[in-house]
Amino acid sequence: MLHALSRLRGLAWHSLRHWLLACGMAWLGMLAGAAHAVEVSEPRLEYGDGGWNLSVNFEFELPPALEDAINKGIPLYFVTEFDLNRPRWYWFDEKPVSVRRTVRVAYHPLTRQYRVSTGGLQLPFAKLSDALGFVKRVRGWRVIERSAVKPGIPYLAEVRIRLDVSQLPKPFQINAVNTSDWNLSSDWLRFPVTIPEVPGAAVPGTLFLGTAPLHDSGRAE
């Protein structure tokens, strides 16, 4: 009887040890897969030519693994996302605006230049830091058309940036799952927006400056 109880205790301890080990490995995996921090600041909407353009700053350091990859000829794709929501207590929130901008950064060893491209725009840079500066400083990005919004209605804007790992070669996509060096993403920065009345012949000028932004890391995807 005592031998059986001792054996049961041994089996229970063995199972508990394996469970603790599995939990520890899962916790380490979560830490490894966490994205590098990116700060979002100074969101600004300016009116011009029938709509509103976004300016915003992102602050981040490129992890060594990503810097090494780009210098070996692997292009990186950075996606800036902007959403405009209209909260409604009686129904689901309305989303009149949801836009994305992808910026590709690649190194060309023959010319020893970094080339940045987005849409039809292509710009060469001698230094990686200068190429990333274009990514970090968003200026004059058309995000809201005047026909998409209503004056006087309160909206909630959201903006973030992330590295699009789905654009990486397959082996590097696996790395992105297993290590934080391949994950680069900001939280959503949220700020209130109220569209004012804008005469059609108005001189372009600042109509909204994001104040007291709310950082939201828990938004559902």
Side-chain angles (χ1 to χ4, degrees), residues 58-63 66-68 70-71 76 78 103 105-107 112-116 123-138:
F58 301 105
E59 292 296 337
F60 62 86
E61 295 296 329
L62 202 64
L66 291 177
E67 184 173 345
D68 182 63
I70 196 170
N71 286 327
L76 301 181
F78 297 89
V103 178
V105 181
Y107 178 65
R112 295 184 179 180
Q113 288 183 328
Y114 297 90
R115 189 169 297 276
V116 173
L123 298 172
F125 294 92
K127 298 179 180 179
L128 178 58
S129 59
D130 294 336
L132 292 176
F134 182 89
V135 177
K136 297 176 182 180
R137 304 288 180 265
V138 176

Side-chain angles (χ1 to χ4, degrees), residues 1-218:
M1 182 67 178
L2 291 177
H3 177 72
L5 290 175
S6 177
R7 185 176 179 183
L8 286 174
R9 281 197 298 267
L11 290 173
W13 167 245
H14 183 74
S15 299
L16 178 61
R17 186 173 59 182
H18 277 274
W19 181 79
L20 291 173
L21 179 61
C23 289
M25 292 298 291
W27 180 73
L28 290 174
M30 290 175 62
L31 289 180
H36 277 264
V38 179
E39 293 296 325
V40 190
S41 64
E42 301 180 35
R44 186 186 187 93
L45 289 170
E46 293 181 322
Y47 179 78
D49 194 25
W52 284 267
N53 304 317
L54 174 70
S55 295
V56 64
N57 296 332
F58 301 105
E59 292 296 337
F60 62 86
E61 295 296 329
L62 202 64
L66 291 177
E67 184 173 345
D68 182 63
I70 196 170
N71 286 327
K72 289 181 178 178
I74 299 172
L76 301 181
Y77 295 82
F78 297 89
V79 180
T80 304
E81 302 174 278
F82 177 86
D83 291 343
L84 190 68
N85 301 290
R86 179 188 174 191
R88 295 186 294 190
W89 65 268
Y90 60 89
W91 196 243
F92 297 109
D93 290 353
E94 179 188 6
K95 184 178 291 187
V97 175
S98 183
V99 291
R100 305 292 181 263
R101 186 184 83 153
T102 300
V103 178
R104 180 181 186 269
V105 181
Y107 178 65
H108 294 258
L110 292 179
T111 60
R112 295 184 179 180
Q113 288 183 328
Y114 297 90
R115 189 169 297 276
V116 173
S117 56
T118 178
L121 178 66
Q122 292 193 8
L123 298 172
F125 294 92
K127 298 179 180 179
L128 178 58
S129 59
D130 294 336
L132 292 176
F134 182 89
V135 177
K136 297 176 182 180
R137 304 288 180 265
V138 176
R139 297 293 182 268
W141 176 31
R142 174 59 62 91
V143 292
I144 303 175
E145 298 295 340
R146 189 177 178 187
S147 60
V149 291
K150 298 177 180 179
I153 300 296
Y155 294 93
L156 189 64
E158 301 176 307
V159 62
R160 75 167 180 175
I161 193 172
R162 61 181 174 84
L163 176 70
D164 188 357
V165 296
S166 69
Q167 298 276 10
L168 296 171
K170 291 297 182 182
F172 296 99
Q173 292 184 30
I174 297 175
N175 289 338
V177 175
N178 296 324
T179 176
S180 63
D181 279 353
W182 290 88
N183 284 275
L184 193 67
S185 177
S186 74
D187 292 336
W188 288 93
L189 184 141
R190 308 171 65 192
F191 55 95
V193 175
T194 299
I195 302 298
E197 292 284 353
V198 180
V203 176
T206 301
L207 295 182
F208 175 80
L209 176 63
T211 56
L214 306 174
H215 292 268
D216 180 14
S217 60

